[in-house]
Amino acid sequence: MAETQQLAKETSENNTVTLIDNATGKQVTMPVLDGTEGPRVIDIRKLYQETGMFTFDPGFTSTGSCESGLTFIDGDVGTLMHCGYSIDELAEKSDFLEVCYLLLNGELPNKAQMEEFEYAITRHSMIHEQLHSFYHGFRRDAHPMAIMVGVVGALSAFYHDSTDIRDEHQRMIASRRLIAKMPTIAAWAYKYSIGQPMIYPRNDLNYAENFLHMIQATPCENYEVNPILARAMDRIFILHADHEQNASTSTVRLAGSSQANPFACIAAGIACLWGPAHGGANEAVLKMLDEIGSKDRVGSYIKRAKDKDDPFRLMGFGHRVYKNYDPRAKVMRETCHEVLDFLGIKDEPYLDLAMDLERIATEDEYFVEKKLYPNVDFYSGIILRAMGFPTTMFTVIFALARTVGWIAQWKEMIEDPVQKIGRPRQLYNGYSHRPYVPLDQRG
Ligand code: ACO
């Protein structure tokens, strides 16, 4: 067994940190890097080379995996910015496609750039007709997220001319194709699950309107997209567009670091997003509210959430980075009220229950001490339900909106000369070498 070694840390006056191995007295000095915002980071790239030791950080709670200029979160204050623009301002003044342009290009577009981008996204919204038959290979009761993983992964079998990741033009086409086709793929997953004909995209509608059209319309009658609901949909897309190095984005980056094609990488991101600890939480919130059922049962669920021996957690509460109110949840709560008012829904039992839960949880010592606040998923499910989406579509909508973040992060990684294939190491705690015992000699 290797001798236990303790590392002590001393920060010197300049931009370095010195680690001292207390077992040997050996010192190693490493640079400290400053970003434009956020905590400083210790550059440990030479740590193994110089000390023969790795760092141990399950869940990457103290690890920065890349440089990025796309999104900044101040989790203590509860702020979120894309390329320097705050999420509240983008949600109020921008629209989703403009945010897509911003994330892909780092700057807001001028008028001509915006028109070109909108035109291109609109003209890429159809999917290869053969993909239509591909859907029929799934069971009707398949979860739409399962269909999303399959169909998005299959795009690489249909669009060979945009899978060369070394070609800047192909990267751009793949990015636009993914953003453009995702609403069609998502809406068709829904239509397939309810046994209705798939509705083709319409070029005269904007991004959010077109999605609602493909969800709600049938070939039998005209469907008028309501502009207020389309605006709410667009805002939901904006609020989910990107969120720094979360689990699914890190999955996309890791998959892409092996130079896998972008469609395969985004399919990997969708798979990761599906989990209830991540994007699947919006579906889980509604299931939880359903299970709680009435206000008089809120207390017992809060008690369960606090019980260490009970695996139950308050879904839609807590975040790895936000130790304050998630700024997206604030906008989402306002949007929720707007949508319910517009739809004339006076008594939405889930909203009443959610607000009660939020009030009790934010006053409770356990949640206050652990800084557990409502996250983006807490209210989104209530809005989506009021708009007529089944719970199984909630995470699909998240995936649709997050596609731009994934692809922008993937592109940034491919274009970053410093990036290498992602390959973490481990603290091995299995057997040391032992001789093989033949089967007839084992006890
Ligand atoms: N309910 C009750 N207790 C909680 C909750 C919760 N929702 N979230 C965290 N805690 C507790 C943990 O039990 C832990 O307690 P301990 O210190 O006594 O062990 C402490 O708070 C810290 O929690 P961790 O799980 O260590 O925090 P982590 O950063 O790993 O997890 C996560 C963050 C996964 C989001 C967690 O808060 C959670 O499971 N929330 C519910 C699911 C959810 O809403 N996910 C959506 C996140 S937002 C998104 O992905 C879009």
Side-chain angles (χ1 to χ4, degrees):
M1 176 80 63
E3 191 181 345
T4 308
Q5 294 176 324
Q6 266 192 312
L7 291 177
K9 189 181 82 170
E10 281 177 11
T11 310
S12 64
E13 277 167 19
N14 54 20
N15 278 349
T16 59
V17 157
T18 300
L19 294 177
I20 305 165
D21 182 340
N22 289 333
T24 61
K26 193 178 168 199
Q27 296 195 3
V28 53
T29 298
M30 285 165 298
V32 175
L33 309 176
D34 286 295
T36 45
E37 298 273 357
R40 309 173 79 205
V41 304
I42 307 171
D43 180 351
I44 58 161
R45 278 174 289 183
K46 295 218 169 111
L47 184 73
Y48 179 60
Q49 195 186 320
E50 294 190 6
T51 65
M53 285 188 267
F54 299 132
T55 56
F56 182 62
D57 186 20
F60 310 120
T61 53
S62 294
T63 298
S65 59
C66 61
E67 272 189 69
S68 180
L70 299 175
T71 294
F72 175 72
I73 303 169
D74 186 329
D76 294 326
V77 181
T79 52
L80 163 65
M81 294 187 303
H82 296 313
C83 308
Y85 299 100
S86 81
I87 191 68
D88 318 46
E89 216 179 347
L90 291 173
E92 191 195 330
K93 299 176 184 164
S94 184
D95 64 46
F96 180 65
L97 276 196
E98 190 179 58
V99 173
C100 289
Y101 185 98
L102 175 68
L103 286 167
L104 289 175
N105 299 283
E107 296 294 339
L108 287 171
N110 63 28
K111 209 161 175 287
Q113 288 166 331
M114 192 61 219
E115 277 171 15
E116 188 277 329
F117 186 66
E118 259 171 349
Y119 183 88
I121 296 296
T122 308
R123 262 58 185 184
H124 276 298
S125 56
M126 276 212 297
I127 52 180
H128 194 289
E129 190 56 22
Q130 213 169 319
L131 273 166
H132 197 273
S133 347
F134 193 85
Y135 280 82
H136 293 271
F138 290 100
R139 280 172 56 140
R140 289 274 176 196
D141 60 357
H143 194 290
M145 280 298 275
I147 299 183
M148 294 295 286
V149 175
V151 175
V152 174
L155 293 179
S156 44
F158 287 85
Y159 299 101
H160 304 140
D161 58 344
S162 54
T163 52
D164 179 357
I165 63 154
R166 297 279 152 230
D167 180 331
E168 191 184 347
H169 181 71
Q170 291 201 26
R171 288 202 296 274
M172 189 263 284
I173 297 291
S175 306
R176 290 180 170 197
R177 276 183 171 151
L178 275 157
I179 294 166
K181 293 182 195 311
M182 207 53 94
T184 314
I185 295 170
W188 285 18
Y190 171 62
K191 286 296 195 189
Y192 182 73
S193 73
I194 57 168
Q196 283 189 7
M198 285 129 174
I199 301 295
Y200 287 86
R202 261 178 47 190
N203 289 353
D204 60 323
L205 299 176
N206 74 27
Y207 195 84
E209 289 169 346
N210 195 30
F211 177 60
L212 289 177
H213 155 75
M214 289 188 286
I215 288 282
Q216 305 282 12
T218 66
C220 318
E221 57 189 11
N222 282 337
Y223 169 75
E224 285 293 322
V225 182
N226 183 292
I228 296 188
L229 295 186
R231 177 66 194 142
M233 191 80 256
D234 193 76
R235 197 172 293 157
I236 291 172
F237 291 161
I238 294 175
L239 294 175
H240 288 92
D242 189 43
H243 212 232
E244 209 226 64
Q245 308 311 320
N246 55 80
S248 56
T249 302
S250 298
T251 301
V252 169
R253 279 188 178 256
L254 195 59
S257 77
S258 76
Q259 302 176 15
N261 76 69
F263 303 110
C265 296
I266 302 303
I270 297 173
C272 177
L273 186 77
W274 194 357
H278 191 10
N282 53 14
E283 188 176 338
V285 169
L286 268 254
K287 281 191 188 142
M288 176 186 77
L289 294 177
D290 214 23
E291 201 185 306
I292 297 177
S294 60
K295 283 187 185 181
D296 56 313
R297 284 158 56 90
V298 168
S300 64
Y301 278 82
I302 298 263
K303 205 167 154 204
R304 281 188 62 193
K306 297 189 313 191
D307 181 354
K308 277 233 164 287
D309 299 325
D310 190 329
F312 174 77
R313 283 188 166 197
L314 274 195
M315 287 292 129
F317 267 78
H319 198 275
R320 170 61 61 79
V321 183
Y322 292 119
K323 300 303 166 201
N324 203 324
Y325 214 100
D326 180 338
R328 302 167 301 170
K330 273 188 202 150
V331 183
M332 204 62 97
R333 186 166 55 172
E334 281 164 30
T335 309
C336 189
H337 284 291
E338 275 167 34
V339 167
L340 295 182
D341 282 353
F342 170 76
L343 293 172
I345 302 175
K346 295 260 178 298
D347 298 311
E348 163 49 275
Y350 281 127
L351 181 64
D352 284 351
L353 209 50
M355 286 178 49
D356 223 42
L357 199 60
E358 179 185 337
R359 186 183 53 76
I360 296 173
T362 46
E363 286 167 1
D364 189 286
E365 202 181 318
Y366 172 94
F367 290 87
V368 173
E369 223 171 64
K370 294 189 189 298
K371 300 184 176 166
L372 300 169
Y373 292 87
N375 59 46
V376 68
D377 290 322
F378 193 62
Y379 283 103
S380 62
I382 299 171
I383 312 178
L384 294 173
R385 181 174 177 268
M387 287 171 80
F389 288 100
T391 44
T392 51
M393 280 300 286
F394 295 177
T395 317
V396 172
I397 290 168
F398 193 157
L400 184 171
R402 181 55 58 83
T403 294
V404 63
W406 290 329
I407 202 74
Q409 299 265 356
W410 168 84
K411 188 171 155 292
E412 186 179 52
M413 179 195 66
I414 299 291
E415 291 166 6
D416 180 353
V418 169
Q419 278 298 316
K420 294 165 175 260
I421 185 167
R423 185 21 174 123
R425 302 304 298 266
Q426 62 175 8
L427 176 65
Y428 177 68
N429 66 3
Y431 286 106
S432 294
H433 179 261
R434 49 186 179 154
Y436 178 83
V437 180
L439 183 60
D440 59 0
Q441 292 171 28
R442 283 176 225 157

